[in-house]
């Protein structure tokens, strides 16, 4: 397969998936982020990499973000939000951290593919990216890509789309975002 054919397949899968994401679910996540003192992010593998990008971008918007596991990670409190990325909603580490955060009283949001996963017991907000995971039901957007690539791609783009919507909703001047950009580079 040529690169142009592969990228066309990837782009069409991403477009079909993001078209199926609920505006209402994303709006609930956006409100939760706006209402939180701090927003913590947890995931594993490539999902974590996508979430780190989302955390960084929201940080540029002035949101106080923390990636769970950072050496400087502060304590989570009931005024904070934990955003969990897990396609299946069954990944052991994010599931345990969501349970711990909920037990402390923090709000928990889950971005995943499975609305009836074990994660649902700990979350108040759910955003469904309807793609195949290791526990596919067959009712999701199918993919020719390996493993859960489509989920990870859509997670990153969902975060960037959410950031753009927040910029518009909050009336943030794009030029002002540079004040939050790393300056030790």
């Amino acid at each position: 397969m040529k690169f142009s054919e592969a990228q066309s397949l990837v782009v069409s899968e991403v477009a079909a998936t993001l078209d199926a994401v609920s505006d209402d679910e994303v709006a609930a996540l956006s409100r939760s982020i706006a209402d939180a003192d701090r927003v913590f992010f947890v995931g594993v593998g490539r999902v974590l990499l996508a979430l780190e990008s989302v955390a960084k971008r929201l940080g540029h918007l002035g949101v106080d973000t923390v990636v769970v596991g950072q050496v400087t990670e502060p304590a989570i409190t009931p005024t904070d939000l934990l955003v969990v990325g897990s396609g299946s909603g069954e990944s052991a580490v994010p599931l345990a951290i969501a349970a711990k955060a909920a037990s402390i009283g923090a709000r928990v949001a889950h971005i995943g593919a499975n609305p009836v996963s074990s994660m649902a017991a700990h979350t108040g907000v759910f955003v469904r990216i309807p793609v195949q995971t290791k526990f596919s039901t067959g009712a999701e957007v199918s993919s020719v890509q390996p493993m859960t690539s489509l989920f990870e791609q859509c997670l990153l783009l969902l975060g960037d789309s959410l950031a753009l919507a927040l910029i518009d909703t909050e009336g943030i001047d794009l030029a002002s975002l540079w004040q939050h950009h790393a300056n030790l580079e």
Side-chain angles (χ1 to χ4, degrees), residues 31-53:
R31 283 189 303 277
S32 295
I33 290 169
D35 292 344
D37 285 347
R38 279 186 303 242
V39 182
F40 289 70
F41 293 84
V42 67
V44 295
R46 285 172 43 110
V47 169
L48 177 59
L49 294 173
L51 285 175
E52 287 175 332
S53 293

Side-chain angles (χ1 to χ4, degrees), residues 39-137:
V39 182
F40 289 70
F41 293 84
V42 67
V44 295
R46 285 172 43 110
V47 169
L48 177 59
L49 294 173
L51 285 175
E52 287 175 332
S53 293
V54 174
K56 180 71 170 174
R57 181 60 71 222
L58 291 178
H60 291 148
L61 302 185
V63 176
D64 188 358
T65 62
V66 177
V67 175
V68 173
Q70 291 176 333
V71 71
T72 57
E73 176 188 340
I76 196 167
T77 73
T79 62
D80 299 326
L81 172 70
L82 173 68
V83 176
V84 180
S86 174
S88 67
E90 302 295 341
S91 299
V93 171
L95 189 56
I97 290 172
K100 177 72 173 189
S103 76
I104 292 168
R107 290 168 289 143
V108 179
H110 175 210
I111 304 172
N114 183 0
V116 294
S117 69
S118 299
M119 193 70 69
H122 310 294
T123 59
V125 172
F126 177 69
V127 176
R128 183 167 192 247
I129 298 177
V131 298
Q132 296 171 337
T133 69
K134 57 189 170 192
F135 301 114
S136 181
T137 66

